[in-house]
Each structure stands twice: as structure tokens, then as C-alpha cells.
């Protein structure tokens, strides 16, 4: 895969790998067990520039390309998918959304603290009755002249409590359907903003996922992103890039599980030899290795297309669809190779198997990716 990565990108990958091994690995099992947010680790990620990788240095970012960002997420995810999703949402949904579509004043006020990691962002699209069907927004942003009054509930919000800057998608003109939807920047300190209880999740338990409740929250009009009614397109365009980040996360989980399983297979003995010498295990390793290489090509291709200014709706959906399947399949097989040890926490692969599942659900389920892909390949 070296032919796709520059010397500078290799150094970024190495820096992320070193950080993950030194700072994320210690305590990763306990954070998962206790649902503990990696406060100190995220602070260090900010200091290293990992929270605003693609943001212009004029706004405190690292000014790097999407492929560099993907390499960072991939390396973090090999060890701790909870930390990587915190970074992924901040980078590719919140920072990218504000930098690409926000006003200069919004960038000055909100992008800088997000890009430097001083503040964390959240992206609030899903609702109790609007997950995949994202146009059916029930959260209302009523136009009151110089401000909006926001009412409603958002569900399954990553960084739900740890964030302090929220991009909230809400309906202003229900009669216009998706063309009436707006995207608003909402501050946590706003009166009427309430964070619901933490979700007790199957995986990525170190990240905090909450529902959010808005009760007559006053949002100044200057906090609307883009033109009146641009909110749904804003969400869709932003999610296309977000899917590259989740695809990279899935790729990293797959690689992490595969590397552990390969090492274990070369050490563990059964029937008088290392289990890697048994064809039953070898064939599993072959499938894992081959599928990971294929997933990596799709993920890097989507990142390259974004960097080259090409349309990446199709490539990002394909990368997420395939990499998340490879993550799930690889993690299940890794547990199988570990046998009984795979079922206990200290060997890490059971956590990776639980973490892998969410990559097939958030930022669009696999079924939604297939819908997006089918539309793209069939359109004239
Ligand atoms: N880029 C730009 N525009 C897009 C677009 C894209 N990727 N996808 C759709 N649009 C545009 C369409 O072109 C259309 O505009 P025009 O009428 O001007 O052509 C408009 O948006 C409406 O699109 P559709 O008619 O396709 O809308 P739809 O109701 O059929 O829905 C969907 C399309 C693909 C199913 C969409 O609803 C979707 O992506 N759903 C999944 C939502 C999702 O990913 N949720 C995840 C929550 S966020 C999250 O998980 C973050 C986290 O915390 C980790």
C-alpha cells in the first residue's frame, strides 16, 4: 500500500501509532468496562493536532489532507475505537462542516477551539423516529426574526455530554419537507439545553453517547450554517466525509484484531504445533489479510477522491459498507482463533468484536450505504 502514501503521511501514521500504543493502550480495557471517557487522552490528541487534522492552520488546525486524517484514525482504531470515534466526529463532521459551510464569524468563534481540541463537538441528526430516515426531523427551529427557538429531542449523539459545541439539524418549514431543514450551531451553556442519561452500549463504551433535549433553546440566527433551508444538504454532504472516517475506524478495528490473532496463532500450541500451522487457522488468516487489503484500498481511494476535489459520495459509501463488514467478520474470526481466551476481556479481541458492530450502524447503516451506492451506480 506504500505506493499511495507519501513520506510525510508515513510519519503521521507512525506518530498516531506511537500515541495509540503509549497513551491509549494502557487502561483501554478498564475504560471500556467502566464506560469511562478518555479525558486526558483526548486532551493529548488535541495537543498533537489530531482533533483538527484537516482544518486550516489559520484556525488552529493541522492543515493536512483527508488521507493523513484516515491514517491517524486507522492507527487509533487498532487499539481504541472509542477514542477514534471521538476524534472522527470532531474532525470530519463538526470541524469540516463548519469550515466548509460556515461563515467567517462562525469559524473564528467555533472552529478554533474545536480544531485545537480545547472544545469537543457533536453532530446531532438522529432522533427517536428519524435515524435512517433523516428527512423526517421532528426537532423544530421556529424562526423568531433574529433568532430561532429550538424544541425537540436528539438520540444516540456521540460526544453527547463531553461536547460543548453541537451542530443541530432541525425543521423550520415542515411544509417544505427536507428543503425546510436548517443546521444550527448550539452551545451547551444555552438555557433549555439538557443532556439526557448516558447510553449503556454494547461497544465503543469509552465514548459517551446521550440523548439531548431542547426546551425553548434560543439560538441566534448568525448560528445558522448556510442559507435558510440548507440544513439537510449540509447534513448529507458532511456525512459523506464522515463515512470515510468511520470506514477508517472499521479498517483499524479489523487490522487490530487481525494482528492480535496472527500473533496468537504463531504462539499458541495445539496438537503438538503452533495453531498457525493448522490449515483451519491459516485459511482464516488468509481471508482476514486479503479482505483488509481490499478494504484499505477502498478507504484510501475515497480519501484521495475527496482530496482531489472529486465527487466521493459513491466511494465513501462503498468504503464504509465494505470496511465495516470486514471489521465485523475479522473481529468474529479473531475471537474464534483465540478460542476460550477470545471470550475474556484481557485479550482485547472480544472488545474489538463489540466495537466493530457500530461501524455497520452509525453514520448510515449498511443498508443505507447500499441505498446510496445503488442510486449512484444507476443514475444516468
Ligand atoms: N450529498 C449531497 N446532497 C445529497 C446527498 C449527498 N450525499 N444525499 C442526498 N442529497 C440531496 C439530494 O440530491 C436531494 O436534493 P435535490 O432534491 O436537490 O436533488 C436531497 O438531498 C434529498 O435527498 P433524497 O431525496 O435522497 O432523500 P431521502 O429521504 O431519500 O434520504 C438518505 C436519503 C440517503 C436515506 C439519507 O436520509 C441518509 O443518508 N440517511 C442516513 C442518515 C445517517 O447517516 N444518520 C447517521 C446519523 S449521524 C451519526 O451517526 C454521527 C455519530 O454520532 C457517529
Amino acid at each position: 500500500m506504500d505506493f499511495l502514501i507519501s513520506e510525510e503521511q508515513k510519519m503521521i501514521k507512525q506518530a498516531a501509532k506511537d500515541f495509540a500504543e503509549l497513551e491509549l493502550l494502557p487502561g483501554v480495557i478498564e475504560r471500556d468496562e467502566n464506560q469511562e471517557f478518555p479525558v486526558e487522552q483526548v486532551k493529548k490528541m488535541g495537543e498533537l493536532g489530531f482533533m483538527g487534522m484537516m482544518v486550516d492552520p489559520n484556525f488552529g488546525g493541522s492543515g493536512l489532507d483527508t488521507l493523513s486524517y484516515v491514517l491517524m484514525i486507522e492507527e487509533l482504531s487498532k487499539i481504541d475505537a472509542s477514542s477514534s470515534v471521538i476524534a472522527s466526529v470532531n474532525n470530519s463532521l463538526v470541524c469540516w462542516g463548519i469550515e466548509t459551510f460556515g461563515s467567517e464569524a462562525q469559524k473564528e468563534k467555533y472552529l478554533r477551539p474545536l480544531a485545537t481540541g480545547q472544545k469537543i463537538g457533536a453532530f446531532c441528526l438522529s432522533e427517536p423516529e428519524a435515524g435512517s430516515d433523516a428527512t423526517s426531523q421532528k426537532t423544530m427551529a421556529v424562526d423568531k426574526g433574529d433568532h430561532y427557538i429550538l424544541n425537540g429531542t436528539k438520540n444516540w449523539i456521540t460526544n453527547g455530554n463531553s461536547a460543548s459545541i453541537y451542530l443541530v439539524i432541525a425543521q423550520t418549514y415542515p411544509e417544505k419537507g427536507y428543503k425546510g431543514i436548517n443546521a444550527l450551531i448550539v452551545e451547551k451553556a444555552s438555557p433549555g439545553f439538557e443532556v439526557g442519561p448516558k447510553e449503556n452500549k454494547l461497544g465503543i463504551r469509552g465514548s459517551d453517547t446521550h440523548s439531548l433535549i431542547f426546551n425553548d433553546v434560543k439560538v441566534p440566527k448568525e448560528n445558522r450554517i448556510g442559507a435558510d433551508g440548507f440544513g439537510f444538504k449540509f447534513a448529507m454532504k458532511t456525512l459523506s466525509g464522515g463515512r470515510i472516517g468511520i470506514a477508517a475506524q472499521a479498517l483499524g478495528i479489523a487490522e487490530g484484531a487481525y494482528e492480535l490473532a496472527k500473533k496468537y496463532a504463531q504462539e499458541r500450541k495445539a496438537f503438538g504445533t503452533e495453531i498457525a500451522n493448522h490449515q483451519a487457522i491459516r485459511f482464516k488468516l488468509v481471508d482476514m489479510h486479503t479482505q483488509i487489503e481490499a478494504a484499505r484500498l477502498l478507504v484510501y481511494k475515497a480519501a484521495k477522491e475527496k482530496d482531489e476535489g472529486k465527487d466521493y459520495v459513491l466511494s465513501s459509501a462503498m468504503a464504509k459498507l465494505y470496511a465495516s463488514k470486514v471489521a465485523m467478520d475479522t473481529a468474529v474470526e479473531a475471537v474464534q482463533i483465540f478460542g476460550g481466551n477470545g471470550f475474556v476481556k484481557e485479550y482485547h479481541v472480544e472488545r474489538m468484536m463489540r466495537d466493530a458492530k457500530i461501524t455497520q450502524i452509525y453514520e448510515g447503516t449498511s443498508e443505507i450505504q447500499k441505498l446510496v451506492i445503488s442510486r449512484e451506480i444507476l443514475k444516468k
Side-chain angles (χ1 to χ4, degrees):
M1 210 66 67
D2 272 10
F3 67 98
L4 284 174
I5 305 173
S6 69
E7 285 308 311
E8 190 195 4
Q9 286 163 337
K10 279 182 199 159
M11 285 164 63
I12 292 160
K13 184 175 161 70
Q14 187 62 47
K17 181 178 165 61
D18 292 345
F19 172 78
E21 287 171 358
L22 279 171
E23 305 285 350
L24 298 183
L25 185 57
V28 65
I29 293 172
E30 291 75 18
R31 291 195 299 277
D32 168 75
E33 176 86 357
N34 304 325
Q35 300 196 78
E36 189 188 323
F37 188 87
V39 178
E40 288 307 314
Q41 291 81 353
V42 171
K43 204 188 275 179
K44 285 182 185 156
M45 278 154 57
E47 287 160 10
L48 285 167
F50 291 170
M51 295 300 276
M53 286 278 273
M54 297 173 284
V55 175
D56 186 336
N58 289 326
F59 292 105
S62 303
L64 295 166
D65 56 11
T66 313
L67 186 52
S68 303
Y69 159 68
V70 156
L71 295 169
M72 180 275 288
I73 293 289
E74 184 184 342
E75 287 303 323
L76 265 47
S77 307
K78 284 185 189 174
I79 287 178
D80 183 5
S82 292
S83 295
S84 72
V85 74
I86 296 163
S88 183
V89 167
N90 199 71
N91 274 279
S92 49
L93 296 182
V94 186
C95 286
W96 190 84
I98 296 177
E99 183 166 30
T100 310
F101 301 109
S103 66
E104 285 309 305
Q106 288 168 353
K107 290 184 210 176
E108 203 48 59
K109 185 169 179 189
Y110 296 112
L111 189 53
R112 188 178 299 282
L114 287 165
T116 52
Q118 288 165 277
K119 290 189 176 170
I120 298 173
F123 185 82
C124 315
L125 173 67
S126 303
E127 298 189 351
E129 289 170 55
S132 294
D133 182 10
T135 57
S136 297
Q137 296 288 308
K138 297 276 187 299
T139 297
M140 288 297 299
V142 176
D143 189 335
K144 294 283 183 185
D146 65 346
H147 65 274
Y148 291 98
I149 291 293
L150 191 62
N151 276 290
T153 302
K154 293 288 174 184
N155 261 27
W156 311 296
I157 303 303
T158 305
N159 300 340
N161 193 33
S162 54
S164 48
I165 298 170
Y166 299 78
L167 299 188
V168 181
I169 310 300
Q171 181 58 268
T172 300
Y173 312 102
E175 68 283 5
K176 291 189 184 173
Y178 75 83
K179 290 182 177 159
I181 291 173
N182 277 311
L184 307 176
I185 305 175
V186 181
E187 297 183 30
K188 192 184 202 173
S190 310
F193 182 120
E194 192 188 319
V195 177
K198 191 172 185 165
E199 300 290 355
N200 187 1
K201 305 186 302 256
L202 173 75
I204 54 161
R205 287 168 58 84
S207 70
D208 64 321
T209 305
H210 293 257
S211 54
L212 304 174
I213 303 110
F214 304 96
N215 270 317
D216 288 334
V217 176
K218 189 174 173 182
V219 185
K221 220 166 219 178
E222 64 256 27
N223 281 22
R224 187 185 73 213
I225 299 182
D228 200 8
F230 177 63
F232 187 73
K233 291 236 170 150
F234 167 80
M236 290 298 109
K237 285 171 187 277
T238 305
L239 274 169
S240 290
R243 287 167 185 162
I244 300 176
I246 298 305
Q249 182 194 37
L251 175 63
I253 295 171
E255 289 177 272
Y258 164 67
E259 283 168 15
L260 289 175
K262 188 170 70 172
K263 188 164 177 287
Y264 185 82
Q266 289 170 304
E267 290 165 2
R268 170 82 177 178
K269 288 190 176 157
F271 304 102
T273 184
E274 288 78 16
I275 60 171
N277 292 328
H278 297 300
Q279 201 177 50
I281 302 296
R282 284 195 167 211
F283 280 9
K284 286 189 195 299
L285 294 172
V286 167
D287 287 344
M288 292 156 109
H289 184 81
T290 308
Q291 287 160 11
I292 287 168
E293 284 286 290
R296 192 183 290 114
L297 282 169
L298 282 175
V299 179
Y300 290 7
K301 176 175 183 266
K304 281 262 180 201
E305 285 193 359
K306 181 163 172 284
D307 287 333
E308 288 166 4
K310 294 179 180 159
D311 187 316
Y312 52 93
V313 172
L314 175 62
S315 59
S316 61
M318 288 199 301
K320 183 179 179 295
L321 174 69
Y322 189 69
S324 61
K325 176 167 168 40
V326 171
M328 198 65 238
D329 293 352
T330 303
V332 168
E333 287 296 62
V335 170
Q336 194 69 19
I337 290 172
F338 271 82
N341 282 333
F343 211 62
V344 292
K345 291 192 183 292
E346 68 182 278
Y347 290 90
H348 297 280
V349 286
E350 65 81 33
R351 184 185 73 256
M352 292 169 167
M353 187 178 84
R354 288 185 285 106
D355 288 350
K357 188 61 206 169
I358 192 61
T359 66
Q360 294 185 302
I361 298 173
Y362 58 19
E363 300 200 20
T365 59
S366 297
E367 291 72 21
I368 290 292
Q369 306 312 317
K370 287 183 186 177
L371 182 81
V372 172
I373 294 165
S374 64
R375 286 178 178 184
E376 290 297 310
I377 61 177
L378 293 172
K379 80 181 177 194
K380 294 262 164 23

